[in-house]
Coordinates of all heavy atoms in Angstrom, one line a residue:
Chain B
V259 N 77.3 223.9 5.5 CA 76.1 223.5 6.4 C 75.1 224.7 6.4 O 75.4 225.8 6.5 CB 76.6 223.3 7.8 CG1 75.4 223.0 8.7 CG2 77.6 222.1 7.8
V260 N 73.8 224.3 6.2 CA 72.7 225.2 6.2 C 71.7 224.7 7.3 O 71.4 223.5 7.3 CB 71.9 225.2 4.9 CG1 70.8 226.3 4.9 CG2 72.9 225.5 3.7
L261 N 71.3 225.6 8.2 CA 70.4 225.2 9.2 C 69.0 225.6 8.8 O 68.7 226.7 8.5 CB 70.7 225.8 10.6 CG 72.1 225.6 11.1 CD1 72.3 226.3 12.4 CD2 72.4 224.1 11.3
L262 N 68.0 224.6 8.8 CA 66.7 224.9 8.5 C 65.7 224.5 9.6 O 65.8 223.4 10.1 CB 66.2 224.2 7.2 CG 66.9 224.6 5.9 CD1 66.3 223.8 4.7 CD2 66.7 226.1 5.6
G263 N 64.9 225.4 10.0 CA 63.9 225.2 11.1 C 64.3 226.0 12.3 O 65.5 226.0 12.7
R264 N 63.3 226.6 13.0 CA 63.5 227.5 14.1 C 64.3 226.8 15.2 O 65.2 227.3 15.8 CB 62.2 228.0 14.6 CG 62.2 229.3 15.4 CD 60.8 229.7 15.7 NE 60.1 228.7 16.6 CZ 60.2 228.7 17.9 NH1 60.9 229.7 18.5 NH2 59.6 227.8 18.6
A265 N 63.8 225.6 15.6 CA 64.4 224.9 16.7 C 65.9 224.6 16.5 O 66.7 224.6 17.4 CB 63.6 223.6 17.0
M266 N 66.2 224.3 15.2 CA 67.6 223.9 14.8 C 68.5 225.1 15.0 O 69.6 225.0 15.6 CB 67.6 223.4 13.4 CG 68.8 222.7 13.0 SD 69.2 221.2 13.9 CE 68.0 220.0 13.2
R267 N 68.0 226.3 14.5 CA 68.9 227.5 14.7 C 69.0 227.9 16.1 O 70.1 228.2 16.6 CB 68.3 228.6 13.8 CG 68.4 228.4 12.3 CD 68.1 229.6 11.5 NE 66.9 230.3 11.9 CZ 65.6 229.9 11.5 NH1 65.5 228.9 10.6 NH2 64.6 230.5 11.9
A268 N 67.9 227.8 16.9 CA 67.9 228.2 18.3 C 68.8 227.3 19.1 O 69.6 227.8 20.0 CB 66.5 228.1 18.9
M269 N 68.8 226.0 18.8 CA 69.6 225.1 19.6 C 71.1 225.3 19.3 O 71.9 225.3 20.2 CB 69.2 223.6 19.3 CG 69.7 222.6 20.3 SD 69.5 222.9 22.1 CE 67.7 222.6 22.3
V270 N 71.5 225.5 18.0 CA 72.9 225.7 17.7 C 73.3 227.0 18.4 O 74.4 227.1 18.9 CB 73.1 225.7 16.2 CG1 74.5 226.2 15.8 CG2 72.9 224.3 15.6
D271 N 72.5 228.0 18.3 CA 72.7 229.3 18.9 C 73.0 229.1 20.4 O 74.0 229.6 21.0 CB 71.5 230.2 18.7 CG 71.8 231.6 19.2 OD1 72.8 232.2 19.0 OD2 70.9 232.1 19.9
A272 N 72.1 228.4 21.1 CA 72.3 228.2 22.6 C 73.6 227.5 22.9 O 74.3 227.8 23.8 CB 71.1 227.5 23.1
A273 N 73.8 226.4 22.1 CA 75.0 225.6 22.3 C 76.3 226.4 22.1 O 77.3 226.2 22.8 CB 75.0 224.3 21.5
Q274 N 76.2 227.2 21.1 CA 77.4 228.0 20.8 C 77.7 229.1 22.0 O 78.8 229.3 22.4 CB 77.3 228.7 19.5 CG 77.8 227.8 18.3 CD 77.6 228.3 16.9 OE1 76.7 229.1 16.7 NE2 78.5 227.9 16.0
K275 N 76.6 229.7 22.4 CA 76.7 230.7 23.5 C 77.3 230.0 24.7 O 78.0 230.7 25.5 CB 75.3 231.2 23.8 CG 74.8 232.2 22.8 CD 73.9 233.3 23.5 CE 73.6 234.4 22.5 NZ 72.4 234.2 21.8
E276 N 77.0 228.7 25.0 CA 77.5 228.1 26.2 C 78.8 227.4 25.9 O 79.3 226.6 26.7 CB 76.5 227.0 26.7 CG 75.1 227.6 27.2 CD 75.3 228.6 28.4 OE1 76.3 228.5 29.1 OE2 74.4 229.5 28.5
G277 N 79.4 227.6 24.7 CA 80.7 227.1 24.4 C 80.7 225.6 24.2 O 81.8 225.0 24.5
L278 N 79.6 225.0 23.8 CA 79.6 223.5 23.8 C 80.0 223.0 22.4 O 80.4 221.8 22.3 CB 78.2 223.0 24.1 CG 77.7 223.3 25.6 CD1 76.2 223.1 25.7 CD2 78.5 222.4 26.5
L279 N 79.9 223.8 21.4 CA 80.3 223.3 20.1 C 81.7 223.7 19.8 O 82.1 224.9 20.0 CB 79.4 223.8 19.0 CG 77.9 223.3 19.1 CD1 77.0 224.1 18.2 CD2 77.8 221.8 18.8
I280 N 82.5 222.7 19.3 CA 83.9 223.0 19.1 C 84.2 222.8 17.6 O 83.8 221.8 17.1 CB 84.9 222.2 19.9 CG1 84.5 222.4 21.4 CG2 86.3 222.5 19.7 CD1 84.6 221.1 22.2
D281 N 84.8 223.8 16.9 CA 85.1 223.6 15.5 C 83.8 223.4 14.7 O 83.9 222.6 13.7 CB 86.1 222.5 15.3 CG 87.5 222.8 15.8 OD1 87.8 224.0 15.9 OD2 88.2 221.9 16.1
F282 N 82.7 223.9 15.2 CA 81.5 223.7 14.4 C 81.7 224.5 13.2 O 82.0 225.7 13.2 CB 80.3 224.2 15.2 CG 79.0 223.7 14.7 CD1 78.5 222.4 15.0 CD2 78.2 224.5 13.8 CE1 77.3 222.0 14.5 CE2 77.0 224.1 13.3 CZ 76.5 222.8 13.7
P283 N 81.5 223.9 12.0 CA 81.8 224.7 10.8 C 80.9 225.9 10.6 O 79.8 225.9 11.1 CB 81.6 223.7 9.6 CG 80.9 222.5 10.3 CD 81.1 222.6 11.7
A284 N 81.4 226.9 9.9 CA 80.6 228.1 9.7 C 79.3 227.7 8.9 O 79.4 226.9 8.0 CB 81.4 229.1 8.9
V285 N 78.2 228.3 9.3 CA 76.9 228.0 8.7 C 76.6 229.0 7.7 O 76.9 230.2 7.9 CB 75.9 227.9 9.9 CG1 74.5 228.0 9.3 CG2 76.1 226.7 10.7
I286 N 76.1 228.6 6.6 CA 75.8 229.6 5.6 C 74.2 229.8 5.5 O 73.5 228.9 5.9 CB 76.3 229.3 4.1 CG1 75.7 228.0 3.6 CG2 77.8 229.1 4.2 CD1 76.0 227.8 2.1
S287 N 73.8 231.0 5.0 CA 72.4 231.3 5.0 C 71.7 230.6 3.8 O 72.4 230.1 2.9 CB 72.2 232.8 4.8 OG 72.6 233.2 3.5
V288 N 70.4 230.5 3.8 CA 69.7 229.8 2.7 C 69.9 230.6 1.4 O 70.1 230.0 0.4 CB 68.2 229.8 3.1 CG1 67.4 229.2 1.9 CG2 67.9 229.0 4.3
E289 N 70.0 231.9 1.5 CA 70.2 232.8 0.4 C 71.5 232.4 -0.3 O 71.6 232.2 -1.5 CB 70.2 234.3 0.7 CG 68.8 234.8 1.3 CD 68.5 234.3 2.7 OE1 69.5 234.3 3.5 OE2 67.4 233.8 2.9
D290 N 72.5 232.3 0.5 CA 73.9 232.0 0.0 C 73.9 230.6 -0.6 O 74.5 230.3 -1.6 CB 74.9 232.1 1.1 CG 75.2 233.6 1.5 OD1 74.7 234.5 0.7 OD2 75.8 233.8 2.5
A291 N 73.2 229.7 0.1 CA 73.2 228.3 -0.3 C 72.6 228.1 -1.7 O 73.0 227.2 -2.5 CB 72.3 227.5 0.7
L292 N 71.7 229.0 -2.1 CA 71.1 228.9 -3.4 C 72.1 229.0 -4.6 O 71.9 228.5 -5.7 CB 69.9 229.9 -3.6 CG 68.7 229.7 -2.7 CD1 67.8 230.8 -2.7 CD2 68.0 228.4 -3.0
S293 N 73.3 229.6 -4.3 CA 74.3 229.7 -5.3 C 75.4 228.8 -5.2 O 76.4 228.8 -5.9 CB 74.8 231.2 -5.4 OG 75.3 231.5 -4.1
V294 N 75.3 227.8 -4.2 CA 76.3 226.8 -4.0 C 75.9 225.5 -4.8 O 74.7 225.2 -4.7 CB 76.5 226.5 -2.5 CG1 77.5 225.4 -2.3 CG2 77.0 227.8 -1.8
P295 N 76.8 224.9 -5.5 CA 76.4 223.6 -6.1 C 75.9 222.6 -5.1 O 76.4 222.5 -4.0 CB 77.8 223.1 -6.7 CG 78.7 224.3 -6.7 CD 78.2 225.2 -5.6
R296 N 74.9 221.8 -5.5 CA 74.2 221.0 -4.5 C 75.1 219.9 -3.9 O 74.9 219.5 -2.8 CB 72.8 220.5 -5.0 CG 72.9 219.8 -6.4 CD 71.5 219.8 -7.0 NE 70.4 219.4 -6.2 CZ 69.4 220.2 -5.8 NH1 69.3 221.4 -6.2 NH2 68.4 219.8 -5.0
Q297 N 76.1 219.5 -4.7 CA 76.9 218.5 -4.1 C 77.8 219.0 -3.0 O 78.6 218.3 -2.3 CB 77.8 217.7 -5.2 CG 78.8 218.6 -5.9 CD 78.3 219.3 -7.1 OE1 77.1 219.5 -7.2 NE2 79.2 219.7 -8.0
N298 N 77.8 220.4 -2.9 CA 78.6 221.0 -1.8 C 77.7 221.5 -0.6 O 78.1 222.4 0.1 CB 79.4 222.1 -2.4 CG 80.4 221.6 -3.4 OD1 80.5 222.1 -4.5 ND2 81.3 220.7 -2.9
L299 N 76.5 221.0 -0.5 CA 75.6 221.4 0.5 C 75.2 220.3 1.4 O 75.0 219.1 1.0 CB 74.3 222.0 -0.1 CG 74.5 223.4 -0.7 CD1 73.1 223.8 -1.4 CD2 74.9 224.5 0.4
M300 N 75.0 220.6 2.7 CA 74.3 219.7 3.7 C 73.3 220.5 4.5 O 73.7 221.4 5.2 CB 75.3 219.0 4.6 CG 74.8 217.8 5.3 SD 73.9 218.2 6.8 CE 75.2 218.5 8.0
L301 N 72.1 220.2 4.3 CA 71.0 220.9 5.1 C 70.8 220.1 6.4 O 70.5 218.9 6.3 CB 69.7 221.0 4.3 CG 69.8 221.4 2.8 CD1 68.4 221.6 2.3 CD2 70.6 222.7 2.6
L302 N 70.8 220.8 7.5 CA 70.5 220.2 8.8 C 69.1 220.7 9.2 O 69.0 221.9 9.4 CB 71.6 220.6 9.7 CG 71.9 219.9 11.0 CD1 71.9 218.4 10.8 CD2 73.2 220.3 11.6
V303 N 68.2 219.8 9.2 CA 66.8 220.3 9.3 C 66.0 219.7 10.4 O 66.3 218.6 10.9 CB 66.0 220.1 7.9 CG1 66.9 220.6 6.8 CG2 65.7 218.6 7.8
T304 N 64.9 220.4 10.9 CA 64.0 219.9 11.9 C 63.0 218.9 11.3 O 62.9 218.9 10.0 CB 63.3 221.1 12.5 OG1 62.6 221.8 11.5 CG2 64.2 221.9 13.3
G305 N 62.3 218.2 12.1 CA 61.2 217.4 11.6 C 61.5 215.9 11.5 O 60.9 215.2 10.7
S306 N 62.4 215.4 12.3 CA 62.8 214.0 12.2 C 61.6 213.1 12.6 O 61.6 211.9 12.3 CB 64.0 213.7 13.1 OG 63.6 213.8 14.5
Q307 N 60.6 213.6 13.3 CA 59.5 212.8 13.7 C 58.3 213.0 12.8 O 57.1 212.6 13.1 CB 59.1 213.0 15.1 CG 60.2 212.7 16.1 CD 60.7 211.3 16.0 OE1 59.8 210.4 16.0 NE2 62.0 211.0 15.9
G308 N 58.5 213.6 11.6 CA 57.4 213.7 10.6 C 56.5 214.8 11.0 O 55.3 214.9 10.5
E309 N 56.9 215.8 11.9 CA 56.0 216.9 12.3 C 55.5 217.6 11.0 O 56.3 218.0 10.2 CB 56.7 217.8 13.2 CG 57.2 217.2 14.5 CD 58.6 216.6 14.4 OE1 59.1 216.2 13.3 OE2 59.3 216.6 15.5
R310 N 54.2 217.9 11.0 CA 53.6 218.4 9.8 C 54.2 219.7 9.2 O 54.2 219.9 8.1 CB 52.1 218.6 10.0 CG 51.2 217.7 9.2 CD 49.8 218.0 9.4 NE 49.2 217.2 10.5 CZ 47.9 217.0 10.7 NH1 47.0 217.6 9.9 NH2 47.5 216.2 11.7
R311 N 54.6 220.6 10.1 CA 55.0 221.9 9.6 C 56.5 222.1 9.7 O 57.0 223.2 9.4 CB 54.2 223.0 10.4 CG 52.8 223.2 9.9 CD 51.9 224.0 10.8 NE 51.7 223.3 12.1 CZ 50.8 223.7 13.0 NH1 50.0 224.7 12.7 NH2 50.7 223.0 14.1
A312 N 57.2 221.1 10.1 CA 58.7 221.3 10.2 C 59.3 221.3 8.8 O 58.7 221.0 7.8 CB 59.2 220.1 11.0
A313 N 60.6 221.6 8.8 CA 61.4 221.8 7.6 C 61.3 220.5 6.7 O 61.2 220.6 5.5 CB 62.8 222.2 7.9
S314 N 61.5 219.4 7.4 CA 61.5 218.1 6.6 C 60.2 217.9 5.8 O 60.3 217.6 4.6 CB 61.6 216.9 7.6 OG 62.9 216.8 8.2
A315 N 59.1 218.1 6.5 CA 57.8 217.9 5.8 C 57.7 218.9 4.6 O 57.2 218.6 3.6 CB 56.7 218.1 6.8
Q316 N 58.1 220.1 4.8 CA 58.0 221.1 3.8 C 58.9 220.8 2.6 O 58.5 221.0 1.4 CB 58.2 222.5 4.3 CG 57.2 222.8 5.4 CD 57.0 224.3 5.6 OE1 57.0 225.1 4.7 NE2 56.8 224.7 6.9
L317 N 60.1 220.4 2.9 CA 61.0 220.0 1.8 C 60.4 218.8 1.0 O 60.5 218.8 -0.2 CB 62.4 219.6 2.4 CG 63.3 220.8 2.8 CD1 64.5 220.2 3.6 CD2 63.8 221.6 1.6
A318 N 59.8 217.9 1.7 CA 59.3 216.7 1.1 C 58.1 217.1 0.2 O 57.8 216.4 -0.8 CB 58.9 215.7 2.1
Q319 N 57.4 218.2 0.6 CA 56.3 218.6 -0.2 C 56.7 219.4 -1.4 O 55.9 219.8 -2.2 CB 55.3 219.4 0.7 CG 54.3 218.5 1.4 CD 53.7 219.2 2.6 OE1 53.3 220.3 2.5 NE2 53.7 218.5 3.7
G320 N 58.0 219.8 -1.5 CA 58.4 220.5 -2.7 C 59.5 221.5 -2.4 O 60.5 221.4 -3.0
S321 N 59.2 222.4 -1.5 CA 60.3 223.4 -1.3 C 60.1 224.1 0.1 O 59.1 224.1 0.7 CB 60.3 224.5 -2.4 OG 59.3 225.4 -2.1
Y322 N 61.2 224.6 0.6 CA 61.2 225.3 1.9 C 62.2 226.5 1.7 O 63.4 226.2 1.5 CB 61.6 224.4 3.0 CG 61.6 225.0 4.4 CD1 60.4 225.4 4.9 CD2 62.7 225.1 5.1 CE1 60.3 226.0 6.2 CE2 62.7 225.7 6.4 CZ 61.5 226.1 6.9 OH 61.5 226.7 8.2
L323 N 61.7 227.7 1.9 CA 62.5 228.9 1.7 C 63.3 228.9 0.4 O 64.5 229.3 0.4 CB 63.5 229.0 2.9 CG 62.8 229.1 4.3 CD1 63.9 229.1 5.4 CD2 61.9 230.3 4.5
G324 N 62.7 228.3 -0.6 CA 63.4 228.3 -1.9 C 64.3 227.1 -2.1 O 64.8 226.9 -3.3
M325 N 64.6 226.3 -1.1 CA 65.4 225.1 -1.3 C 64.5 224.0 -1.8 O 63.4 223.8 -1.3 CB 66.0 224.6 0.0 CG 66.9 225.6 0.7 SD 68.4 226.1 -0.2 CE 69.2 224.5 -0.4
K326 N 64.9 223.4 -2.9 CA 64.1 222.3 -3.5 C 64.9 221.0 -3.6 O 66.1 221.1 -4.0 CB 63.7 222.7 -4.9 CG 62.6 223.7 -5.0 CD 62.1 223.7 -6.5 CE 60.8 224.5 -6.6 NZ 60.9 225.9 -6.7
L327 N 64.3 219.9 -3.3 CA 65.0 218.6 -3.5 C 64.7 218.0 -4.8 O 63.7 218.3 -5.4 CB 64.5 217.6 -2.4 CG 64.8 218.1 -1.0 CD1 64.5 216.9 0.0 CD2 66.2 218.5 -0.8
K328 N 65.6 217.2 -5.3 CA 65.4 216.6 -6.6 C 66.1 215.3 -6.8 O 66.9 214.9 -5.9 CB 65.7 217.6 -7.8 CG 67.2 217.9 -7.9 CD 67.4 218.8 -9.2 CE 68.8 218.9 -9.5 NZ 69.1 219.7 -10.7
E329 N 65.8 214.6 -7.8 CA 66.5 213.3 -8.1 C 68.0 213.4 -7.9 O 68.6 214.3 -8.3 CB 66.2 213.0 -9.6 CG 66.8 211.7 -10.2 CD 65.8 210.6 -10.2 OE1 64.6 210.8 -10.6 OE2 66.2 209.4 -10.0
G330 N 68.5 212.4 -7.2 CA 69.9 212.3 -6.9 C 70.3 212.9 -5.6 O 71.4 212.7 -5.1
D331 N 69.4 213.6 -4.9 CA 69.6 214.1 -3.6 C 69.5 213.0 -2.5 O 68.8 211.9 -2.9 CB 68.7 215.3 -3.2 CG 69.0 216.5 -4.0 OD1 70.2 216.6 -4.5 OD2 68.2 217.4 -4.1
T332 N 70.0 213.1 -1.4 CA 69.9 212.1 -0.3 C 69.4 212.7 0.9 O 69.7 213.8 1.3 CB 71.3 211.5 0.0 OG1 71.9 211.0 -1.2 CG2 71.3 210.4 1.0
F333 N 68.5 212.0 1.6 CA 67.8 212.5 2.8 C 68.1 211.5 3.9 O 67.7 210.3 3.8 CB 66.3 212.6 2.6 CG 65.7 213.5 3.7 CD1 65.2 214.8 3.4 CD2 65.5 213.0 5.0 CE1 64.6 215.6 4.3 CE2 64.9 213.8 5.9 CZ 64.5 215.1 5.6
L334 N 68.8 211.9 5.0 CA 69.2 211.0 6.1 C 68.4 211.3 7.3 O 68.4 212.4 7.8 CB 70.7 211.3 6.4 CG 71.2 210.6 7.7 CD1 71.2 209.1 7.6 CD2 72.6 211.1 8.0
F335 N 67.7 210.3 7.8 CA 67.0 210.3 9.1 C 68.1 209.8 10.1 O 68.2 208.6 10.2 CB 65.8 209.4 9.1 CG 64.6 210.1 8.4 CD1 64.4 209.9 7.1 CD2 63.7 210.8 9.2 CE1 63.3 210.5 6.4 CE2 62.6 211.4 8.5 CZ 62.4 211.2 7.2
S336 N 68.8 210.7 10.8 CA 69.7 210.3 11.8 C 69.0 210.3 13.1 O 69.3 211.1 14.0 CB 70.9 211.3 11.8 OG 71.9 210.9 12.7
S337 N 68.0 209.4 13.2 CA 67.0 209.4 14.3 C 66.3 208.1 14.3 O 66.2 207.4 13.4 CB 66.1 210.6 14.1 OG 65.5 210.4 12.8
K338 N 65.6 207.9 15.4 CA 64.7 206.8 15.6 C 63.3 207.4 15.6 O 63.0 208.4 16.1 CB 64.9 206.1 16.9 CG 64.1 204.8 17.2 CD 64.1 204.5 18.6 CE 62.7 203.9 19.0 NZ 62.4 203.9 20.4
T339 N 62.4 206.7 14.9 CA 61.0 207.1 14.9 C 60.3 206.7 16.2 O 60.3 205.5 16.6 CB 60.2 206.6 13.7 OG1 60.9 206.9 12.5 CG2 58.8 207.1 13.7
I340 N 59.8 207.7 17.0 CA 59.2 207.4 18.2 C 57.8 206.7 17.9 O 57.1 207.2 17.0 CB 59.0 208.7 19.0 CG1 60.4 209.3 19.4 CG2 58.1 208.5 20.2 CD1 60.3 210.6 20.1
P341 N 57.5 205.6 18.6 CA 56.3 204.9 18.4 C 55.1 205.9 18.4 O 54.9 206.7 19.3 CB 56.2 203.9 19.5 CG 57.6 203.6 19.9 CD 58.3 204.9 19.7
G342 N 54.3 205.8 17.4 CA 53.2 206.7 17.2 C 53.4 207.7 16.1 O 52.5 208.2 15.6

Side-chain angles (χ1 to χ4, degrees):
Chain B
V259 177
V260 184
L261 303 178
L262 292 184
R264 199 177 63 90
M266 195 60 78
R267 291 194 309 278
M269 192 53 74
V270 170
D271 183 47
Q274 278 175 327
K275 283 213 174 90
E276 298 297 336
L278 293 165
L279 294 171
I280 303 142
D281 291 337
F282 196 82
V285 163
I286 67 169
S287 69
V288 178
E289 297 71 44
D290 290 349
L292 292 171
S293 58
V294 174
R296 52 204 311 117
Q297 69 271 23
N298 296 123
L299 285 176
M300 196 276 283
L301 317 186
L302 198 46
V303 310
T304 53
S306 66
Q307 298 302 312
E309 299 92 331
R310 244 184 269 195
R311 282 167 294 195
S314 289
Q316 299 203 38
L317 283 169
Q319 274 159 45
S321 82
Y322 183 64
L323 302 174
M325 300 299 299
K326 283 193 168 84
L327 301 189
K328 64 176 196 183
E329 178 100 35
D331 291 339
T332 303
F333 197 106
L334 170 66
F335 283 86
S336 183
S337 54
K338 186 197 141 196
T339 302
I340 293 175

